[in-house]
Amino acid sequence: MPYSLVSAATLGFDLVRLPAGGQVADVLVTGLGADADTLHRLAGAHPAAGRPDTERAALAVRARRAHELAAAGVPQLRDMTDPGGDEDSRSARLVALLERGTIGNTPALERLVRDDVLGPEHAVVADLDPAVATMAADVLADAATGWWAADALDVAVRQELTSPYSTATAWEHGPRPDLGPMAPGLAELLGELRALDEAGRRRWRLAVDASRAQRRPWAAAMHGAAWAAHVSGRTRTLAAAQLMTVAAFLDAGFSARDGAEGVWNALAGCVQGLAMADLLDEESLAVLGGPWTMVTGRSLPLAG
């Protein structure tokens, strides 16, 4: 399945279940918010920068081989077989599969970096030297791939992919993406999420259980919010909010199993609704923000 910024919540579902998914999200957020200086720093950290053509070719071959290893190392849900058994045991096995398998893969992730994150709608890429843009994209794509398959790659291979990005961002990540008119409310929501204790995490799990009957209206509301982002030119804004939620989910102490069992979808819905609240009808906002209301006893923090 291809990834896109329009479906950032789906990408987030994969990232919260990967051991180093938080680092992948960080790479993507850096790319979304990057200014010209940041892209030049990323390009300057490229292993082939300043090297003769023969060395550049050899490095390109090594990088491609590392990407192939990464692509083969993480199982995809579409490749997993039905576990069978009675209903209860089958459900338990399916959740276990969901903890390990991803919807997308590393080629889809690389295309997302090159075509969407640093694509034609990026604020500064169009005015950048194409060679600089390509090298910056290489560094971002390598880092995202290396962290995506962190457990499947040898340490040396993973570091070969991720070290240039780490070097370029060691002192300064660059500007964060603009989260639009609902930024104060999103900051409040993510801040409360990061501060959760075990009792708070349990309330979210219970809210997910209580919300399962609303799957159909939830999906329709998620689609409506994504469409609102598209027509208003805020797809990148919404994607940035979802990717920032990945880090908050992990900081809150939720596990891959929580992500597989619905906590991520509940949080992603709250973020989707809040980020686009100024363009949604009350019913859609109530559906998407329902888990937040169940957990906190309050509506989504629309006013920040």
Side-chain angles (χ1 to χ4, degrees):
M1 173 183 170
Y3 289 129
S4 73
L5 293 181
V6 174
S7 60
T10 301
L11 172 59
F13 176 69
D14 278 350
L15 295 183
V16 298
R17 294 177 299 112
L18 288 170
Q23 286 94 323
V24 179
D26 177 73
V27 171
L28 299 175
V29 169
T30 297
L32 285 170
D35 57 12
D37 288 343
T38 302
L39 294 174
H40 275 281
R41 281 200 309 276
L42 289 166
H46 196 293
R51 302 286 188 95
D53 289 345
T54 53
E55 291 186 28
R56 292 167 68 93
L59 287 167
V61 170
R62 285 173 58 182
R64 185 47 47 197
R65 177 55 181 157
H67 279 256
E68 291 170 357
L69 291 171
V74 179
Q76 286 188 260
L77 291 175
R78 69 182 184 187
D79 299 328
M80 295 181 172
T81 58
D82 191 316
D86 60 60
E87 185 174 347
D88 288 342
S89 62
R90 183 173 180 271
S91 295
R93 292 191 188 101
L94 284 172
V95 169
L97 292 176
L98 279 171
E99 287 184 58
R100 302 194 307 271
T102 59
I103 296 172
N105 55 23
T106 54
L109 182 67
E110 183 171 356
R111 284 193 296 272
L112 176 76
V113 170
R114 297 183 187 280
D115 298 342
D116 282 11
V117 173
L118 294 188
E121 293 187 4
H122 194 284
V124 301
V125 165
D127 297 324
L128 210 62
D129 180 337
V132 172
T134 297
M135 293 179 79
D138 286 347
V139 171
L140 290 171
D142 284 354
T145 298
W147 288 122
W148 176 280
D151 275 12
L153 297 174
D154 291 340
V155 172
V157 175
R158 189 194 73 219
Q159 289 180 342
E160 186 174 333
L161 289 172
T162 61
S163 290
Y165 172 80
S166 298
T167 299
T169 59
W171 296 109
E172 183 182 357
H173 263 74
R176 301 283 87 180
D178 176 19
L179 294 185
M182 306 309 296
L186 287 165
E188 181 179 338
L189 185 152
L190 296 180
E192 288 199 28
L193 182 59
R194 291 188 180 94
L196 286 178
D197 55 13
E198 181 53 39
R201 290 188 289 274
R202 185 169 182 274
R203 284 195 295 272
W204 273 99
R205 294 170 189 134
L206 292 172
V208 168
D209 290 340
S211 302
R212 293 196 189 281
Q214 288 190 317
R215 280 179 294 181
R216 187 170 299 172
W218 179 88
M222 286 290 283
H223 175 76
W227 178 249
H230 171 69
V231 298
S232 64
R234 285 159 56 184
T235 294
R236 294 174 68 86
T237 297
L238 180 56
Q242 292 289 4
L243 291 168
M244 290 180 182
T245 305
V246 171
F249 179 97
L250 299 171
D251 289 345
F254 287 117
S255 66
R257 177 169 285 267
D258 289 319
E261 291 185 335
V263 177
W264 167 258
N265 283 347
L267 286 167
C270 293
V271 169
Q272 193 105 330
L274 180 54
M276 303 308 301
D278 56 317
L279 298 178
L280 296 182
D281 60 84
E282 290 185 8
E283 182 179 354
S284 295
L285 193 57
V287 168
L288 294 175
W292 173 267
T293 300
M294 284 188 229
V295 170
T296 67
R298 309 189 311 270
S299 60
L300 290 169
L302 303 182

